[in-house]
Amino acid sequence: MKLVICLVFMLISAKECDKNKAQMTNDTSSQVTTEMTEARLQEEAMKINYKAHTRGFFLQIWIEGDSMSVTNDYNLKDIRKYQIPKEEKNALMALISETDEKSLPGLEPPSKAFRYDGAPMAHLEISKGEDTYKTENFDHGTPPEAIKSVVEKILSIKTLFEKQ
């Protein structure tokens, strides 16, 4: 009789352990899913704007969600819109996550040829929700070192679409 009671008690304990383990797995799984969803929402709410211009040149690139809009028209009438490939978007987001957006306004440009029309004047703007961070003007083609990889990636994605 004692043996039967011990076996029943062990079975009940084992069932409770399985329930707790399943509950912990579900909690961990839902936490990871929630974190992934929040990261995706932040990515979708992020807007990136790159603009370069001088008297005879104009380029503006907007990235919102999975799309890129590009124009060379000062009046913003001729805008081309493209769907960014997932691997390119992921690479860009990885570069942006390595960048401290709050430091953008204080970045010093490596050269200032834009001041005398020696190069198109450019700036990068990153918006996350209500917060917008914009760089000081820099030479198109010579961004500050802290954002060089991001600007190069944006321009390489644009070039990818021009080749098609």
Side-chain angles (χ1 to χ4, degrees):
M1 186 70 172
K2 289 181 182 181
L3 182 64
V4 172
I5 293 175
C6 283
L7 286 174
V8 170
F9 181 71
M10 287 176 34
L11 285 172
I12 291 173
S13 296
K15 290 272 187 193
E16 287 298 317
C17 285
D18 285 343
K19 266 190 206 176
N20 289 340
K21 186 176 179 182
Q23 181 66 29
M24 286 176 33
T25 303
N26 287 341
D27 288 347
T28 305
S29 174
S30 68
Q31 182 181 6
V32 169
T33 304
T34 303
E35 288 173 4
M36 289 173 55
T37 304
E38 287 175 6
R40 182 71 181 159
L41 287 174
Q42 284 180 347
E43 182 180 307
E44 289 174 0
M46 183 184 300
K47 296 176 185 164
I48 303 164
N49 185 8
Y50 179 78
K51 185 176 180 180
H53 59 89
T54 191
R55 283 187 261 192
F57 174 79
F58 184 82
L59 170 65
Q60 188 160 3
I61 302 170
W62 303 270
I63 297 175
E64 293 184 50
D66 293 335
S67 67
M68 173 185 271
S69 300
V70 180
T71 188
N72 295 104
D73 181 19
Y74 277 103
N75 299 317
L76 304 178
K77 291 184 180 179
D78 180 27
I79 299 174
R80 297 170 310 281
K81 194 168 187 175
Y82 306 101
Q83 189 72 24
I84 302 173
K86 189 171 189 159
E87 59 276 355
E88 294 292 330
K89 175 71 177 193
N90 291 341
L92 178 61
M93 288 299 119
L95 292 171
I96 288 176
S97 69
E98 295 171 4
T99 305
D100 179 20
E101 296 89 16
K102 294 177 182 173
S103 70
L104 291 183
L107 294 177
E108 188 68 30
S111 63
K112 297 177 181 168
F114 68 87
R115 290 186 176 171
Y116 57 84
D117 284 344
M121 179 182 351
H123 70 265
L124 176 69
E125 185 176 302
I126 298 175
S127 299
K128 287 185 174 182
E130 299 291 319
D131 300 324
T132 299
Y133 307 99
K134 181 179 174 183
T135 64
E136 295 292 326
N137 292 330
F138 58 87
D139 293 348
H140 174 61
T142 314
E145 195 62 37
I147 59 167
K148 186 174 185 174
S149 58
V150 173
V151 171
E152 287 176 349
K153 188 63 176 173
I154 291 169
L155 295 175
S156 74
I157 294 171
K158 177 187 111 14
T159 304
L160 175 76
F161 294 127
E162 289 176 344
K163 290 181 181 179
Q164 293 178 350

